Amino acid sequence: MPRTALTAITPVIWGTTYVVTTEFLPPAHPLFAGLMRALPAGLIALAVTRTLPRGAWWAKAAALGLLNIGLCFPLLFLAAERLPGGVAATTAAAQPLVVAVLAVAVLGERLSGWRLAWGVVGVLGVGLVVLGPKAALDTVGVMAGLGNAASMALGVTLTKRWGRPAGVGPTAFAGWQLTAGGLFLLPVTFLVEGPAPAIDLRAVLGYLWMALAGGLLAYVLWFRGVTALPVGSVAVLVLISPLVAAVLGAAVLGQTLGAVQLLGFVISLAAIVAGQLPAPAKSSTRR
């Protein structure tokens, strides 16, 4: 439970991203925000730990950084631009379902009907919280959102399969991936968005939060949890993020939560808790 609670801090921090982006950061530069979230955090982690990959871990760290950071951010921001926030959050909430399937193919685990079922329930609960009557669907946006969920799900599953090298702490491990993903985003950001935006004090505070909390702290706790906890249990925790975003939207931006949204909260929280529990043992009856 303590490890699960620490790991759950990460999706809580991720849930602040929408408010920080809309209230603190310059508009129309989502990739630059992703770059500032990844690369400074990764370089800080490398400077603190002074630990670099060795041997095959150069390629593994690059692959994990690409999946967990480098591909996730562009797909996430593309989905956010093409879809209402609620629809984008619901596509991201599909990650536990993808992990349940990948655990069979990559980790050789048996398909867990328990976690698969609660993953579906969690997506439905998140949908009730964040989807409104004006939720429009865009094919490119939906594909980008599902691609983001699939990329991170594969990254989480491979992280579980490869583990963490002996003698390497979670800070160094997160630093490798953040740096690799940030270096991938560096040319993409300036090719797509051009020069960096004008940055005032408010934006500096936003980028600091994104880098130190949303990048360094969040991913250190996340990768620590992925290597220590069942991969299906960790994936279900992602459902916390859109719930936190909805609460902050109501508290900070004045958005309202009705009875349907509250019902969705209850359903989502039930799915998160159930996803941390082992499947009930099947009772056998002798005749």
Side-chain angles (χ1 to χ4, degrees):
M1 289 302 297
R3 287 182 177 178
T4 301
L6 282 175
T7 307
I9 294 174
T10 292
V12 171
I13 295 174
W14 287 344
T16 68
T17 300
Y18 176 75
V19 169
V20 172
T21 300
T22 57
E23 300 300 307
F24 287 84
L25 303 186
H29 284 81
L31 289 179
F32 184 77
L35 174 65
M36 295 300 292
R37 179 182 179 182
L39 191 56
L43 294 177
I44 290 172
L46 294 183
V48 170
T49 61
R50 298 183 181 181
T51 304
L52 294 176
R54 293 183 180 180
W57 270 101
W58 281 101
K60 290 181 178 180
L64 294 178
L66 180 64
L67 290 170
N68 288 317
I69 309 295
L71 288 179
C72 280
F73 288 170
L75 290 173
L76 174 64
F77 292 134
L78 178 60
E81 289 181 356
R82 301 290 296 255
L83 296 171
V87 181
T90 306
T91 59
Q95 186 187 142
L97 305 180
V98 183
V99 168
V101 176
L102 288 176
V104 178
V106 179
L107 303 179
E109 297 181 0
R110 296 180 61 182
L111 183 63
S112 174
W114 173 263
R115 291 204 169 98
L116 191 62
W118 281 110
V120 173
V121 171
V123 172
L124 294 176
V126 169
L128 291 176
V129 173
V130 298
L131 293 181
K134 297 181 180 180
L137 296 180
D138 174 84
T139 302
V140 174
V142 170
M143 294 301 294
L146 295 176
N148 167 61
S151 178
M152 192 169 182
L154 180 57
V156 167
T157 307
L158 287 177
T159 302
K160 187 65 178 179
R161 177 180 176 86
W162 291 336
R164 198 169 67 225
V168 175
T171 302
F173 191 57
W176 296 351
Q177 298 188 48
L178 287 165
T179 302
L183 290 176
F184 171 80
L185 282 171
L186 186 61
V188 174
T189 297
F190 290 104
L191 284 174
V192 173
E193 295 184 350
I199 299 176
D200 56 13
L201 179 59
R202 193 174 183 84
V204 168
L205 295 175
Y207 287 129
L208 282 175
W209 173 259
M210 296 281 281
L212 299 180
L216 186 58
L217 175 61
Y219 282 97
V220 168
L221 295 176
W222 183 248
F223 292 130
R224 181 179 182 272
V226 169
T227 56
L229 298 170
V231 65
S233 299
V234 176
V236 173
L237 294 176
V238 174
L239 299 175
I240 297 174
S241 181
L243 301 184
V244 172
V247 170
L248 289 177
V252 179
L253 304 179
Q255 299 171 355
T256 58
L257 295 176
V260 173
Q261 285 76 27
L262 294 177
L263 175 62
F265 264 99
V266 173
I267 294 174
S268 300
L269 292 175
I272 292 168
V273 173
Q276 308 310 308
L277 303 175
K282 295 182 179 179
S283 58
S284 59
T285 306
R286 292 185 178 181
R287 294 186 178 182

